[in-house]
């Protein structure tokens, strides 16, 4: 069934979530629950990952999209569906539509990662690129819906979507019945609202903690104001939770049932993504790593057992490379140094020999001889080094100074 405005939408109930779970049988995977020894040691209690990054299409979005489209009336299905997304919702709608035999059109930002565009097309959707941010793309999708009669499948602001995402909460209770805290990333709020509705109805003692990127955190001011508040120009590498305004339907649920909303920095997101890759051997996108970032930033604040929902793994390889480097830099495992040396044969080799003794791995060397700031016999060298952590960085700097080099940056 479709509805015209948020105010006319019915509430989401546990029965809705249970109904969605039956509908998704054989469609969505019951994703794995994996323990994290490293985070368990930090928190002082068991920490588990709910691996929605291993879901079909690479994120939880298939759940809500399928439930929403499956609930359309025959005449609505005949008109087709339209969606707007930077990637995860796009793929969920595309696959769900294909499984249900419904024509789908998906609007994506012009800067959307190529792998996500390609995957959306491969799942059967017609992809149209429009706008630079999702808000512009969503406006284009709404216009298309008005012109063609296609049903807009909103990424988070509909009860059917929330009911579908709430099946993650039912699975968590089945897989980890002793859970005390669930940590989940929040963008528009569909996933957090669904999990909170399912879990709090059955287990009101479980604490639900939402996590937003600090540069796109619309929920804290909205909760303080008592109504959704838009933030201007939301900015974060975590495109899956880069939403400027909470959805009206999930906002009401989150306001009632989510115990706390925390924010994390870009450095914390990068470090969390790196930890998932190195320690858990899981490829997770920045939005999916946001619960891990919250645990790393304040491990003592979470009562265990804890379940961190890794909501998606659709990360662009180019972004992954940048994020991993950023995460390593945040951990002190990259070091950039600039120094001057005498411009003579063998000088660079001597410098590299010093670095070799302290076991610093040289990733990149920039050798400048023509800068007017340099003396006639001087050269400037900028080095990018891979190190073993902050203490090793100090050791490298000390070795350079003891060898007679002046580090200038």
């Amino acid at each position: 069934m479709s509805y015209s405005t948020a105010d006319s939408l019915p509430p989401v109930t546990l029965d809705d979530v249970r109904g969605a779970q039956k509908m998704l049988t054989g469609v969505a995977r019951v994703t794995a629950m994996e323990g994290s020894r490293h985070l368990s040691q930090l928190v002082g209690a068991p920490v588990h990952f709910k691996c929605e990054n291993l879901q079909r299409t690479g994120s939880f979005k298939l759940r809500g999209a399928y439930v929403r489209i499956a609930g359309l009336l025959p005449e609505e299905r005949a008109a087709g569906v339209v969606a707007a997304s930077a990637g995860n919702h796009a793929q969920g709608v595309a696959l769900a539509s294909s499984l249900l035999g419904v024509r789908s059109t998906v609007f994506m930002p012009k800067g959307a990662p190529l792998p996500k565009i390609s995957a959306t097309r491969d799942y059967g959707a017609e992809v149209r690129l429009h706008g630079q941010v999702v808000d512009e793309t969503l406006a284009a999708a709404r216009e298309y819906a008005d012109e063609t009669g296609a049903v807009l499948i909103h990424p988070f602001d509909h009860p059917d979507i929330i009911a579908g995402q709430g099946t993650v909460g039912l699975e968590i209770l089945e897989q980890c019945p002793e859970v005390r805290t669930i940590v989940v990333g929040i963008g528009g709020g569909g996933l957090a609202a669904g999990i909170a509705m399912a879990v709090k109805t059955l287990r009101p003692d479980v604490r639900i903690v939402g996590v937003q990127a600090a540069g796109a955190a619309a929920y804290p001011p909205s909760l303080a104001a008592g109504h959704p508040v838009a933030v201007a120009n939301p900015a974060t590498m975590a495109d899956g939770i880069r939403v400027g305004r909470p959805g009206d339907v999930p906002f009401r649920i989150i306001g009632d049932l989510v115990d706390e909303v925390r924010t994390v920095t870009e450095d914390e997101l990068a470090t969390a993504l790196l930890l998932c890759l190195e320690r858990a051997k899981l490829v997770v996108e920045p939005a999916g790593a946001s619960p891990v970032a919250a645990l790393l930033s304040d491990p003592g604040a979470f009562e265990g057992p804890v379940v961190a929902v890794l909501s998606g793994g659709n990360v662009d390889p180019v972004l992954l490379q940048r994020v991993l480097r950023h995460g390593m830099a945040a951990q002190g495992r990259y070091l950039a140094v600039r120094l001057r040396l005498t411009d003579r044969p063998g000088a660079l080799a001597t410098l590299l020999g010093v670095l070799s003794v302290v076991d610093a791995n040289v990733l990149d060397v920039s050798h400048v001889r023509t800068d007017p700031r340099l003396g006639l016999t001087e050269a400037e060298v900028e080095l990018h080094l891979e190190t073993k952590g902050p203490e090793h960085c100090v050791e490298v700097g000390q070795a350079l100074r003891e060898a007679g080099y002046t580090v200038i940056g």
Side-chain angles (χ1 to χ4, degrees), residues 16-387:
D16 295 326
V17 181
R18 284 177 166 158
Q21 188 175 43
K22 291 180 181 178
M23 189 181 297
L24 289 168
T25 302
V27 175
R29 294 174 181 145
V30 176
T31 51
M33 185 82 75
E34 298 287 344
S36 171
R37 184 179 303 172
H38 179 71
L39 282 175
S40 296
Q41 291 174 342
L42 287 177
V43 172
V47 175
H48 306 280
F49 293 150
K50 177 59 172 167
C51 299
E52 283 296 291
N53 58 310
L54 303 179
Q55 184 57 262
R56 295 179 71 180
T57 74
S59 87
F60 69 95
K61 289 287 190 178
L62 172 64
R63 297 173 183 264
Y66 188 90
V67 172
R68 174 77 172 99
I69 297 170
L72 295 177
L73 300 173
E75 58 269 27
E76 291 175 319
R77 290 197 191 192
V81 299
V82 60
S85 168
N88 287 348
H89 182 60
Q91 293 172 71
V93 168
L95 178 56
S97 299
S98 295
L99 292 173
L100 292 164
V102 177
R103 185 180 69 258
S104 62
T105 302
V106 176
F107 285 79
M108 303 181 75
K110 293 179 180 178
L114 292 178
K116 293 186 178 182
I117 295 172
S118 177
T120 303
R121 286 185 174 134
D122 289 344
Y123 286 127
E126 177 190 347
V127 175
R128 300 191 181 191
L129 302 180
H130 182 91
Q132 300 300 323
V133 296
V134 174
D135 288 341
E136 296 173 1
T137 306
L138 183 58
R142 290 185 189 279
E143 184 178 346
Y144 178 88
D146 291 339
E147 292 174 352
T148 66
V151 178
L152 177 67
I153 307 300
H154 198 283
F156 48 81
D157 209 8
H158 193 280
D160 290 348
I161 296 287
I162 294 170
Q165 322 305 27
T167 59
V168 176
L170 294 182
E171 289 178 16
I172 290 172
L173 293 183
E174 292 164 3
Q175 294 170 310
C176 186
E178 69 277 14
V179 63
R180 297 294 299 167
T181 305
I182 297 173
V183 191
V184 56
I186 298 182
L191 177 61
I195 290 175
M197 172 56 65
V199 172
K200 285 287 192 178
T201 305
L202 294 168
R203 287 278 308 281
D205 59 303
V206 175
R207 183 172 178 80
I208 310 292
V209 178
V211 184
Q212 292 207 287
Y219 265 89
S222 297
L223 292 170
H227 58 83
V229 174
V231 296
N233 303 316
T236 173
M237 72 175 82
D239 60 341
I241 54 174
R242 190 173 58 219
V243 178
R245 182 186 183 278
D248 293 323
V249 181
F251 177 78
R252 293 195 291 266
I253 298 171
I254 287 172
D256 290 339
L257 299 179
V258 171
D259 296 282
E260 179 186 7
V261 176
R262 290 174 167 251
T263 61
V264 292
T265 67
E266 298 299 283
D267 282 351
E268 288 166 345
L269 285 168
T271 300
L273 189 150
L274 182 61
L275 181 141
C276 289
L277 188 62
E278 284 192 323
R279 297 298 185 101
K281 315 307 178 191
L282 291 169
V283 176
V284 181
E285 61 189 273
S290 59
V292 179
L295 291 171
L296 289 173
S297 67
D298 191 8
F302 301 90
E303 181 184 358
V306 178
V307 173
V309 181
L310 307 184
S311 58
N314 292 317
V315 58
D316 179 22
V318 175
L319 175 62
L320 179 61
Q321 183 182 42
R322 286 168 40 206
V323 171
L324 289 178
R325 286 200 171 215
H326 191 80
M328 291 180 73
Q331 290 187 340
R333 291 167 57 186
Y334 275 145
L335 176 65
V337 294
R338 200 157 44 92
L339 46 84
R340 290 181 184 176
L341 45 74
T342 303
D343 188 14
R344 57 176 176 76
L348 182 58
T350 301
L351 170 61
L352 297 178
V354 173
L355 296 172
S356 176
V357 170
V358 290
D359 204 21
N361 185 31
V362 179
L363 299 174
D364 189 39
V365 178
S366 176
H367 202 178
V368 178
R369 293 186 177 88
T370 57
D371 193 305
R373 296 172 301 169
L374 297 173
L376 185 62
T377 61
E378 286 184 321
E380 187 172 285
V381 174
E382 183 172 347
L383 299 151
H384 290 242
L385 310 172
E386 181 182 3
T387 62

Side-chain angles (χ1 to χ4, degrees), residues 328-334 387-396:
M328 291 180 73
Q331 290 187 340
R333 291 167 57 186
Y334 275 145
T387 62
K388 300 172 184 177
E391 293 180 359
H392 192 205
C393 289
V394 173
E395 181 184 349
V396 170

